[in-house]
Amino acid sequence: MKISQNTIKRLKSTYEEWVLITGATSGIGKELAIKFGEAGFKLIITGRREQELENLSTYLFDLFKTETIPVKGDLSKTEHIHSLLEEIDHLNVGIAILNAGYGTSGRFAHSDLVRETNMLDLNCKSVLVMSHYFANKMKQQPKRGALVLLSSMVGFQGVPNAANYAATKAYVQSLGEALAHELKADGIDVLTAAPGPVNSGFAQRANMKMDMTLSTEDVAIPIINAIGKKSRILPGFLTKFLVYNLRMTPRWAKVLIMGKVMGGFTKHQLN
Ligand SMILES: NC(=O)c1ccc[n+]([C@@H]2O[C@H](COP(=O)([O-])OP(=O)(O)OC[C@H]3O[C@@H](n4cnc5c(N)ncnc54)[C@H](OP(=O)(O)O)[C@@H]3O)[C@@H](O)[C@H]2O)c1
């Protein structure tokens, strides 16, 4: 499915011409890069895997003549975030999609603390540093700016067996909701996208076996359509069910429900 011509026209007339997508080497980020490339935007794409970045740049150029700047870097490292921001500082980024992230799962007490703190640095600290940069940069640009933050259905309550991952996404969700209000007057639209399970590289990295997964397109298209129109989207049945149908359910009960869901995603770890 393509982005509609109306949406392309709206986004191009509202925002500056460059789109930044962090974590574009696979999954949701890669899908977003393809959709924006097809729609004629200029792209800055990031990831740690240089070859994947090169392959995507070549693919986008061959198919759509997309102008792409690939930037290799590990965004859990502050110095890599700063070198990315220095490299693109001369460009007017209209839409910044802070998508790079990963999850962990299993019993918290048995987890690898280095991997857990690294996840906190990537999922939260990099989003904080980059949001702060764009909150200041975009307000000086002639056109509006948009920030898109990737939250998750796990970000609305505690989640046993993915305690730290869910906490990182609660941070992202909360930050995005507040910034959507605060930055509007500065000409910056903020969108949080909180998908349910998605078929991407995520599950393997997180050691989860997820069912009822969405395709990356099921997430990318609603994100693009919602930029500048909404401040939150919940792609997928599961996340809508949790947020809307269970809105009167006490938080402790939601923790139990999500514990059951995550228990299903991680039961292979007990074998
Ligand atoms: N899949 C789901 O079920 C789901 C549901 C809700 C929310 N989300 C969120 O959606 C976002 C995208 O996930 P996805 O499903 O597309 O997963 P994915 O296919 O694993 O993609 C993750 C992307 O993040 C990049 N990345 C990982 N670690 C990085 C690091 N240290 N520095 C820089 N880039 C890094 C990866 O690139 P390199 O490996 O090349 O670095 C990759 O491009 C994440 O924030 C995730 O939490 C996913």
Side-chain angles (χ1 to χ4, degrees):
M1 194 199 271
K2 287 185 181 183
I3 316 177
S4 75
Q5 282 306 319
N6 278 349
T7 301
I8 295 172
K9 223 193 266 170
R10 179 177 68 81
L11 295 178
K12 284 194 170 166
S13 62
T14 309
Y15 302 105
E16 301 290 342
E17 61 181 345
W18 284 92
V19 176
L20 165 71
I21 304 168
T22 68
T25 52
S26 75
I28 300 166
K30 186 173 181 178
E31 187 74 46
L32 284 163
I34 293 169
K35 296 297 183 216
F36 274 111
E38 190 176 19
F41 288 84
K42 296 179 178 183
L43 301 182
I44 302 150
I45 53 172
T46 85
R48 289 164 304 174
R49 288 170 292 166
E50 197 163 19
Q51 191 56 54
E52 295 299 327
L53 286 173
E54 291 302 331
N55 292 348
L56 182 57
S57 299
T58 306
Y59 175 84
L60 291 169
F61 184 79
D62 289 350
L63 253 74
F64 315 120
K65 297 280 171 279
T66 309
E67 191 177 331
T68 306
I69 301 177
V71 185
K72 184 188 163 202
D74 181 341
L75 298 181
S76 67
K77 296 186 166 52
T78 308
E79 64 272 25
H80 287 206
I81 301 173
H82 289 307
S83 60
L84 163 67
L85 297 178
E86 265 166 38
E87 193 169 336
I88 64 172
D89 196 49
H90 64 290
L91 301 172
N92 281 347
V93 172
I95 300 173
I97 306 182
L98 308 183
N99 162 77
Y102 70 87
T104 57
S105 68
R107 300 289 297 278
F108 176 73
H110 299 167
S111 63
D112 172 357
L113 197 51
V114 173
R115 197 164 146 71
E116 298 299 325
T117 51
N118 183 269
M119 181 173 68
L120 196 60
D121 288 343
L122 178 64
N123 294 10
C124 301
K125 197 171 77 184
S126 80
V127 172
L128 163 66
V129 173
M130 296 180 77
S131 298
H132 188 267
Y133 168 83
F134 284 115
N136 287 288
K137 177 87 185 341
M138 284 173 169
K139 72 178 177 198
Q140 294 164 15
Q141 296 176 169
K143 287 182 170 180
R144 291 187 77 78
L147 261 182
V148 179
L149 309 187
L150 262 292
S151 164
S152 165
M153 74 170 186
V154 301
F156 298 98
Q157 65 290 296
V159 181
N161 277 313
N164 187 32
Y165 175 59
T168 68
K169 292 300 173 180
Y171 173 86
V172 172
Q173 183 62 39
S174 176
L175 182 73
E177 284 173 9
L179 294 185
H181 279 270
E182 232 185 274
L183 302 184
K184 205 155 211 57
D186 291 331
I188 302 168
D189 301 311
V190 181
L191 170 69
T192 53
V198 184
N199 189 6
S200 66
F202 175 87
Q204 195 186 358
R205 288 182 210 246
N207 193 13
M208 293 178 196
K209 289 196 173 154
M210 308 190 299
D211 33 53
M212 292 175 66
T213 52
L214 302 167
S215 71
T216 51
E217 193 172 62
D218 292 334
V219 181
I221 294 284
I223 286 178
I224 294 168
N225 288 338
I227 292 172
K229 288 192 147 181
K230 295 179 181 175
S231 58
R232 181 182 80 173
I233 55 163
L234 305 166
F237 163 76
L238 211 49
T239 183
K240 284 187 184 68
F241 179 78
L242 276 163
V243 174
Y244 295 134
N245 296 46
L246 301 186
R247 67 185 175 282
M248 302 306 279
T249 308
R251 200 160 160 131
W252 63 263
K254 283 201 241 184
V255 174
L256 286 184
I257 292 166
M258 278 307 292
K260 285 265 182 237
V261 173
M262 196 50 68
F265 292 173
T266 55
K267 65 172 182 281
H268 62 282
Q269 294 181 19
L270 303 174
N271 299 332

